[in-house]
Amino acid sequence: FGGEPGIGKSTLLTEMLSKLSGQQCDQSFLYVSGEESEGQVAGRAKRMGLKNDSFYIYNETNWQNILNQIKKIKPRFMVLDSIQTTTSSELQSPPGTVSQIREVTYELMNHVKATGITCFIVGHITKDGAIAGPKILEHMVDTVIYFEGDQFGHYRMLRAIKNRFGNTNEVGIFEMQEDGLNEVKNPSQFFLDDDLEDSFGKSLTCIKEGTRPLFVEVQALVAENKFGNGRRTTQGLDNNRVAMMVAIIEKYANIPMGMNDIYVNVVGSMKLTTRESDLSIIAALLSSYKSKPIPKDTVFLGEVGLTGEVRTVPHMEMRIKEMEQLNYKTLVASPKVAKDYSKKSKLKIIPVRKVTDIFKVLGD
């Protein structure tokens, strides 16, 4: 279980143990902390509402001492926070080294699997965002989870990178509040909050995270450049992908956009890696360039090829059902989608065969 310092890893795990202790009062719980004192962990546990007498806190970094306590308490669930601070006295290397992490994880994994203990290991991450230590650490465990988000903001995202028990594409969204982390029941609303009326340079798309459709807002700002060398800045999107969308607009819409400064942002710290949002990116860029707002109940969904054509994306039926439930009125997609779903759906589906057809949505 990895994440940036201060992102809320310990808070989320304490919250989880609090929920489990309420459901399984007859079980023991052990929180081993090598970074925080017992008083700090206890204070957070009380704030989370954890009142189980079978919840034990142990401040220790030596693996042999931790193992003795595990054998004595026999917990059903335990947290080791963190693997980088835990050391084995059988090795001379310092904490956090490859040999220490590998040895402790191997010993821990063998014991908890043999005794049926569910164990959560907290891992530090590198400056590149990967879990620190040897890659074998991720191979040994059953599940690898990343906790992401802006530590100065209110929202956090939970992603499974590896999961031997289910889908790895699911995402959980949480809001940081005074009493801990609370689940965001309607994730789509989280990405679309604080909407500004009649503003241009933004469009909506529907992505698919695991089995869950999510509505995400793409924002673009196209500004005149006074120095002749246009700047490209993106957040949540690959810079090369945005450059490709700009080139398509220049080639097929005859708009000299490349000399402008272009900024593209995905609201809510989301990262868009699939191609279903291509049409939405182009719509946001054209909306900003033309200073024409896009109706807030309109969703853009389609992949755009290098020849300027708009193609359909998979799982359209699921996405359309979600749009209907959230009261969106218009879907801009490929002609194939319009042909297949116009009679089945309450949505107004506007077919766009090529990128220049988006102008009729903008009113040009």
Side-chain angles (χ1 to χ4, degrees):
F1 190 81
E4 294 278 351
I7 204 73
K9 299 184 297 295
S10 302
T11 301
L12 181 62
L13 288 170
T14 308
E15 180 89 21
M16 184 194 61
L17 290 181
S18 176
K19 302 288 186 187
L20 288 171
S21 67
Q23 297 170 4
Q24 305 189 34
C25 302
D26 57 335
Q27 301 289 348
S28 297
F29 300 82
L30 175 62
Y31 195 109
V32 181
S33 175
E35 300 177 353
E36 296 178 293
S37 68
E38 291 159 345
Q40 288 174 307
V41 179
R44 185 172 60 247
K46 289 176 183 176
R47 198 171 67 248
M48 303 290 110
L50 205 159
K51 300 177 181 178
N52 194 325
D53 292 336
S54 299
F55 179 71
Y56 297 91
I57 303 168
Y58 188 40
N59 176 235
E60 182 58 74
T61 58
N62 182 272
W63 163 243
Q64 280 71 28
N65 293 338
I66 293 170
L67 181 59
N68 289 334
Q69 289 297 327
I70 294 172
K71 291 177 178 178
K72 181 179 177 182
I73 296 171
K74 297 179 180 177
R76 179 64 185 85
F77 300 91
M78 69 167 287
V79 171
L80 181 63
D81 186 4
S82 67
I83 192 65
Q84 276 81 12
T85 60
T86 309
T87 59
S88 173
S89 55
E90 296 178 1
L91 298 176
Q92 298 300 317
S93 52
T97 56
V98 170
S99 56
Q100 284 285 4
I101 293 174
R102 184 172 53 222
E103 175 69 17
V104 172
T105 306
Y106 182 74
E107 294 283 342
L108 176 64
M109 183 188 72
N110 284 341
H111 183 76
V112 298
K113 289 203 171 187
T115 53
I117 299 172
T118 301
C119 179
F120 300 89
I121 304 172
V122 176
H124 297 168
I125 64 170
T126 65
K127 61 182 180 181
D128 296 325
I131 292 179
K135 202 68 178 177
I136 193 173
L137 174 62
E138 297 181 42
H139 287 288
M140 292 164 71
V141 298
D142 293 319
T143 307
V144 180
I145 297 173
Y146 281 88
F147 206 31
E148 304 171 350
D150 177 13
Q151 62 176 328
F152 303 109
H154 294 290
Y155 295 102
R156 307 284 189 270
M157 297 181 63
L158 199 66
R159 286 181 193 276
I161 306 302
K162 171 190 175 182
N163 188 2
R164 287 179 179 158
F165 308 110
N167 200 334
T168 58
N169 292 322
E170 299 292 353
V171 60
I173 300 172
F174 299 86
E175 183 178 8
M176 180 67 82
Q177 296 183 350
E178 290 183 2
D179 59 346
L181 289 159
N182 294 327
E183 181 188 0
V184 176
K185 298 292 185 182
N186 185 357
S188 296
Q189 195 59 44
F190 149 61
F191 295 114
L192 305 178
D193 274 346
D194 306 322
D195 195 24
L196 187 65
E197 291 289 338
D198 297 327
S199 55
F200 49 82
K202 63 179 184 179
S203 65
L204 293 180
T205 189
C206 180
I207 64 172
K208 192 167 174 288
E209 289 281 354
T211 58
R212 177 188 295 176
L214 291 179
F215 291 90
V216 178
E217 182 177 298
V218 178
Q219 296 180 340
L221 174 63
V222 181
E224 184 182 355
N225 182 277
K226 301 284 196 298
F227 306 102
N229 188 14
R231 181 179 179 181
R232 305 281 186 275
T233 303
T234 62
Q235 289 185 340
L237 284 163
D238 181 38
N239 210 6
N240 294 327
R241 185 173 162 205
V242 173
M244 186 170 70
M245 296 299 109
V246 172
I248 291 170
I249 292 172
E250 286 196 313
K251 178 68 176 178
Y252 299 105
N254 294 319
I255 295 176
M257 192 178 288
M259 300 301 291
N260 295 288
D261 289 338
I262 294 174
Y263 306 87
V264 181
N265 173 50
V266 182
V267 175
S269 302
M270 285 291 290
K271 293 182 176 66
L272 302 186
T273 56
T274 53
R275 298 293 305 274
E276 67 240 287
S277 55
D278 285 356
L279 198 61
S280 180
I281 296 169
I282 289 178
L285 288 167
L286 290 173
S287 171
S288 177
Y289 184 84
K290 295 280 188 179
S291 300
K292 292 284 186 73
I294 295 171
K296 60 189 297 184
D297 58 0
T298 301
V299 178
F300 293 82
L301 204 51
E303 178 184 344
V304 178
L306 290 178
T307 57
E309 85 282 6
V310 179
R311 301 186 178 189
T312 188
V313 296
H315 309 292
M316 282 302 306
E317 188 170 353
M318 180 187 297
R319 300 174 204 255
I320 287 174
K321 284 182 179 178
E322 188 75 6
M323 292 176 208
E324 291 174 343
Q325 289 177 359
L326 295 177
N327 295 321
Y328 289 104
K329 306 298 183 186
T330 307
L331 170 63
V332 182
S334 68
K336 184 177 184 302
V337 174
K339 179 182 176 182
D340 293 343
Y341 296 98
S342 288
K343 295 180 180 178
K344 301 178 185 177
S345 172
K346 298 182 293 184
L347 296 173
K348 176 186 177 184
I349 302 179
I350 300 176
V352 286
R353 188 174 301 278
K354 50 187 184 298
V355 292
T356 50
D357 294 339
I358 295 179
F359 289 122
K360 60 187 177 187
V361 182
L362 297 176
D364 283 1

